[in-house]
Structure formats: structure tokens, C-alpha cells
Amino acid sequence: MPTARIAVDADRPIGAIDRRMYGVLVEHLGRCVYTGIFEPDHPAADEHGLRRDVMELVRELGVTVARYPGGNFVSNYRWEDGVGPLARRPRRLELAWHSTEPNTFGTDEFMTWCRLAGVEPMMALNLGTRGEEDAVNLLDYVNGRADTDYANLRRANGHDEPYDVRMWCLGNEMDGPWQVGHKSAEDYARLALSTARAMHMVDRGLELVACGSSAWEMPTFGDWERTVLELGYDEIDYISMHRYIDPAAQDRADLLAAGVDLDRFIDGVIATADAVGAKRRSDKKIKISVDEWNVWRISEWNAIEHGFDPGDWPLAPEKIEDVYTAADALAVGGLLISLLRHADRVKAACLAQLVNVIAPIMTEKGGRAWRQTIFHPFATASRIARGTAYDAVVAGPLTATGRYGEVEALDAVVTWDEQTATGSLLALNRSLTESLDVTAALGGLGASRVASARILAPEDLDAFNTADEPDAVAPVAHPVELADGALTTTLPPASWLAVELA
């Protein structure tokens, strides 16, 4: 049987894992909000109209931060429509996803959901049809403490205390021609800089995210980041990037190697940001916010999502409700390894989205909620992969892919938290045919026992979970030994292992 060795240098950590690594996107798209997290008529709804069954799954998922209200939705959104008495809230045409927005769920409802779910809010601003004035007004509504019109409006709406939102996204995917208010890099950079300066006049301690590339296939990739950063370097803290992996556009070997794709994208953004920093002779390092990422059959969606009826604007239609397979879960596990491997610069990441829309959680209107296959690697990593990330240097066999050539059959990352004396080993066997005997030298970290070891090793890579069979694909216990600082185990073909260390 092929063997693979993992070496970890305890004296050379990658970087601290930010708590925002385990974020999600909550967008007014399809059924993410309406009949997702919010359904006042549901038997499990609380006094705020929030579904308790979904809330329990969100807590189990380990979500730490939620980006809201979009996504493409935000670029035509009037946040004032979603606050105040429900009877006065207008219904609007929602241009991004061709639906009707009833505005019965808005900023205050989202903040209530965040508080009850134990999730930090991350707000996105409309820089498609609006700009600096609107951004400052929303900031005052959300965080204002003074005796001002918008802070008083929040108080009048029943929310005396400021929400103290720290992280703000300066628009969404403004590089994309599909975006309402799409701009050139130069025009967006000027607006983002002007908005950032205005917001910093209110609160210098805000953390601001500038739009980077929505995909590295974009013809403007690289030049876009350089233009935005050359103008706004001193005012922004993060540059964003979005990455969706399409299983319908590649074979299984490529899908399991999707971490290679994400590694290259992140490395390219870092290189561009650091080149701008070097040119400015700056000690500041721009952080990365991968504030949309997931597996998404985007080519299948693009093939059907055209030819809108101009007279049909449905309310919370079923859109992009991908059913995730066991293979998709392995891919998500590999993408998590890639994110953690860049913990020194990736300081926020949002799985897109949370409920129903390309989501780890699915619901029935008025009915059940259940975990999709991709729920499991995210929930496991968010629970055990905390503290500091360490590079797992792998020596072992290669496996062939059509898209990336030959890649390491084993992909892995190790984490250790000095405060709790706990850690993790996350490992993916990318080979579709070969098992791997794995040895990991972990003694330098202080790991002396295995608290748990669970594996996703599906016999059927096309298997998926449903409301009737919610556990068709789920992790199971796996034998792992740890003696004298050396961990040993065997990984079946196409498997993702999560070992909790103590």
C-alpha cells in the first residue's frame, strides 16, 4: 500500500486562525432568508419569526460570522426599506435575482438573529446604486451612539443599544458585468476610497473590505486588485475574493484536487497585494477575505437561469438549491484545508450560503430542516481546527488530474491551540483508487492522545442526504493510533479525515 508521511515543524507556524474563518453568507436570494432562517408561520418559529430548528443547526455548524445582506442583492438594496413597522415597509423589485423583496426581514431582524445564534454580523454596503452618504447613514443607524437622526431611528424601532458592527464590505463583486452598478476598477476604487474615508471619519476602528475579483478567470483579475489597492491601501484592511468550484464542469479527480485551485487564487491575490505594499514601502499587510466560497454547479444554473418573464416577480422562489453529494463534501473538506493553510493572510471566509441556496442546511417550507453532506466537514473543522495553523509537509505519492496535472495524493493541515492544549489533523486522500498508509510526526506540538477521529469515506460518491434520509452521508469513527508523538492511520480512497488531538 502507498505510504505518505506528514512532518510538522512546531517552531514554524503558518499563523493564527481567525475566528472569522468559519463564516457564512446570508443573502436575500431564493429561500435563504424567507422559509430559511425566517418563517414566522412555521411551527418552530420563535417570537421573532426565526426558525428554532434552523438556529440549532447553525449553532451545530459552528458559524462565527455572517455576511449580510448579499451578495448581488446588496447592489440595488435600500436598507431603509427593511427597518421600522412592517406595515410601512415597501415591496420592491429585486433586480439581482428577479424576484420580489417584501422587506419583512431587514437589518434589525438580522441583528436579532445574530445575537440569538451567537454570530458576529458582517455588513455589506450598496456601492452599486448608492455611495458614501448611504454608507454613513447605515453606519450611524447600526452603530450610532450620539443624538442623531439615524441612531434615534434605531432607538425608535425598539433597539436602544448600538450593534457595534466592526467589519464592513465596500460593495460586492463590482468587477462583474452582472452586478447592478458594475464599475471599472478605477471608478470603483475611487468610490470605495471615498466611502472608506467617510466611514473612518465616524469610526477609525472599523475593518473595511474592498472588492477584489469575483473569480480569477475574470479578465481584470490582478489588474483590478492592483488598481484598487494602489488607491485605497491606507484606508482598507482586507481585499475580498470569491471562489466557487463547479463539479459539473470537471471530473472527480479534479474536484477532489480543488484545493490546488484555491491555493493558486489566494497566492495570486497575496502576491498582488504585497507588490503594491512593496512599491509603497509599507509595513502594512493587506488581509484576505474569502467572503464567498463553496461548491456550486454554476454551469448547470447558468444554462437554465435566463429568459426571465418580465411580468413574473416571485417571492422567495426556489433558486440554486443544489443537492450536495458525498464527493462535494470531500471537495469542501479540501477547500477548508486550503483556507487554513493560508491562515496567516486569510482572516475571514464565508461559506456561501447558509440555508437552501447552495447551502449546508436545507429546509421545507412549514416542515423539516436537515444537514446536507457539506455540513459535516465545515462543522467538524469549526469545532476542532482552532488556535494556530501549521503547514503539514507531505512526502508521498502523486495522483493524476486533468486540470492540475499530478498533485499530492494526500492534502493535510495541522492546528494546535496552546490555550486549550487541543488541536487537529485534517487530511484528504485525493486518490480515487488507492488507500494510503499515513504517518504524522506531531510530537513537537505536545499532542499526546487522540480525543476523536472521524472520517468521510463514502462507498457511493453520488450519495446525498434528504429530509427522509438525513444521515445517508455522515462522518463515522475511524481507527487512529498516536504513540511517541507519531500518529498512524490508513485512509481509504476518496476520504476526508478529521482527528481531534489533545
Side-chain angles (χ1 to χ4, degrees):
M1 185 181 300
T3 61
R5 300 186 308 278
I6 297 173
V8 178
D9 187 344
D11 295 323
R12 301 190 67 180
I14 295 172
I17 301 167
D18 196 286
R19 69 179 304 278
R20 292 172 176 153
M21 185 70 80
Y22 302 110
V24 295
L25 173 62
V26 173
E27 180 173 6
H28 287 241
L29 161 56
R31 298 193 309 117
C32 181
V33 172
Y34 302 111
T35 73
I37 66 174
F38 180 72
E39 190 176 350
D41 295 333
H42 193 277
D46 65 11
E47 66 272 25
H48 307 289
L50 304 171
R51 286 185 57 157
R52 291 188 180 95
D53 55 346
V54 174
M55 187 82 72
E56 290 175 3
L57 290 175
V58 170
R59 295 189 185 108
E60 181 185 340
L61 189 61
V63 175
T64 54
V65 65
R67 181 169 171 254
Y68 176 85
N72 294 351
F73 171 84
V74 76
S75 293
N76 189 51
Y77 181 52
R78 294 168 51 87
W79 66 267
E80 303 96 322
D81 292 345
V83 300
L86 291 179
R88 299 180 186 173
R89 298 188 188 183
R91 294 167 70 91
R92 301 281 189 190
L93 297 181
E94 201 294 287
L95 302 183
W97 305 109
H98 197 84
S99 57
T100 295
E101 174 52 53
N103 285 304
T104 51
F105 186 97
T107 300
D108 292 315
E109 287 82 10
F110 173 69
M111 296 299 174
T112 297
W113 178 84
C114 285
R115 174 175 57 81
L116 295 174
V119 170
E120 177 191 357
M122 178 197 305
M123 294 296 289
L125 296 164
N126 177 358
L127 294 192
T129 59
R130 309 185 92 177
E132 304 94 330
E133 181 180 3
D134 174 63
V136 170
N137 291 343
L138 177 58
L139 174 61
D140 194 26
Y141 183 88
V142 169
N143 287 0
R145 296 179 181 276
D147 181 13
T148 59
D149 188 53
Y150 284 103
N152 287 335
L153 178 60
R154 184 196 68 241
R155 297 181 183 108
N157 289 335
H159 306 279
D160 289 339
E161 293 301 315
Y163 297 117
D164 195 30
V165 176
R166 294 289 92 199
M167 195 167 183
W168 296 78
C169 301
L170 302 171
N172 175 78
E173 292 187 357
M174 300 309 299
D175 64 324
W178 57 84
Q179 200 73 202
V180 177
H182 162 63
K183 294 171 174 59
S184 68
E186 293 79 6
D187 288 344
Y188 168 73
R190 292 187 184 96
L191 178 58
L193 174 60
S194 180
T195 303
R197 284 175 172 165
M199 295 181 74
H200 279 150
M201 290 176 184
V202 178
D203 184 347
R204 191 66 210 179
L206 300 176
E207 299 175 65
L208 302 183
V209 186
C211 289
S213 292
S214 51
W216 77 328
E217 292 87 355
M218 295 295 290
T220 53
F221 170 64
D223 288 338
W224 177 280
E225 282 80 1
R226 176 184 52 77
T227 299
V228 171
L229 290 173
E230 283 182 345
L231 195 60
Y233 202 90
D234 294 332
E235 295 289 342
I236 67 170
D237 304 285
Y238 297 79
I239 189 80
S240 75
M241 52 175 282
H242 295 174
R243 194 58 178 161
Y244 293 103
I245 302 299
D246 186 356
Q250 55 194 293
D251 62 24
R252 281 277 164 74
D254 290 341
L255 179 62
L256 295 194
V260 175
D261 175 285
L262 186 55
D263 285 339
R264 292 175 179 175
F265 193 1
I266 294 173
D267 290 342
V269 175
I270 291 172
T272 304
D274 286 351
V276 176
K279 184 178 178 180
R280 298 171 65 89
R281 298 167 180 81
S282 174
D283 293 331
K284 177 180 178 179
K285 294 292 185 182
I286 296 293
K287 293 173 279 191
I288 309 298
S289 178
V290 189
D291 47 37
E292 289 186 31
W293 70 274
N294 204 346
V295 171
W296 175 11
R297 287 166 175 77
I298 192 168
S299 58
E300 293 180 356
W301 177 76
N302 282 336
I304 63 173
E305 196 68 12
H306 296 290
F308 296 124
D309 181 349
D312 182 24
W313 294 82
L315 174 63
E318 295 183 5
K319 280 183 179 282
I320 325 181
E321 297 196 3
D322 282 22
V323 175
Y324 285 111
T325 67
D328 297 332
L330 298 179
V332 166
L335 295 173
L336 283 162
I337 290 172
S338 178
L339 292 171
L340 289 165
R341 183 162 41 239
H342 292 90
D344 57 331
R345 298 297 288 275
V346 174
K347 295 300 182 180
C350 297
L351 184 72
Q353 295 187 12
L354 179 60
V355 189
N356 291 324
V357 180
I358 49 172
I361 299 170
M362 292 295 293
T363 70
E364 295 170 331
K365 182 178 180 181
R368 298 166 289 182
W370 66 97
R371 306 167 191 83
Q372 289 232 66
T373 63
I374 65 170
F375 182 102
H376 296 294
F378 189 101
T380 301
S382 70
R383 183 176 63 83
I384 68 174
R386 302 293 183 101
T388 300
Y390 292 84
D391 194 15
V393 180
V394 174
L398 304 177
T399 190
T401 71
R403 181 168 296 196
Y404 311 111
E406 289 193 324
V407 300
E408 296 280 359
L410 181 67
D411 193 21
V413 71
V414 172
T415 72
W416 187 255
D417 188 339
E418 289 287 351
Q419 291 186 336
T420 62
T422 59
S424 70
L425 166 66
L426 306 181
L428 172 66
N429 183 359
R430 293 165 166 161
S431 173
L432 293 166
T433 57
E434 297 281 351
S435 295
L436 284 174
D437 276 340
V438 177
T439 301
L442 305 175
L445 295 177
S448 60
R449 67 182 181 89
V450 172
S452 69
R454 299 182 67 78
I455 196 169
L456 280 169
E459 293 184 6
D460 180 5
L461 290 176
D462 291 314
F464 55 91
N465 295 340
T466 66
D468 293 326
E469 294 186 84
D471 299 315
V473 178
V476 297
H478 186 69
V480 171
E481 294 183 4
L482 179 58
D484 299 324
L487 182 147
T488 56
T489 191
T490 299
L491 294 185
S495 61
W496 187 82
L497 174 69
V499 181
E500 184 179 8
L501 305 166

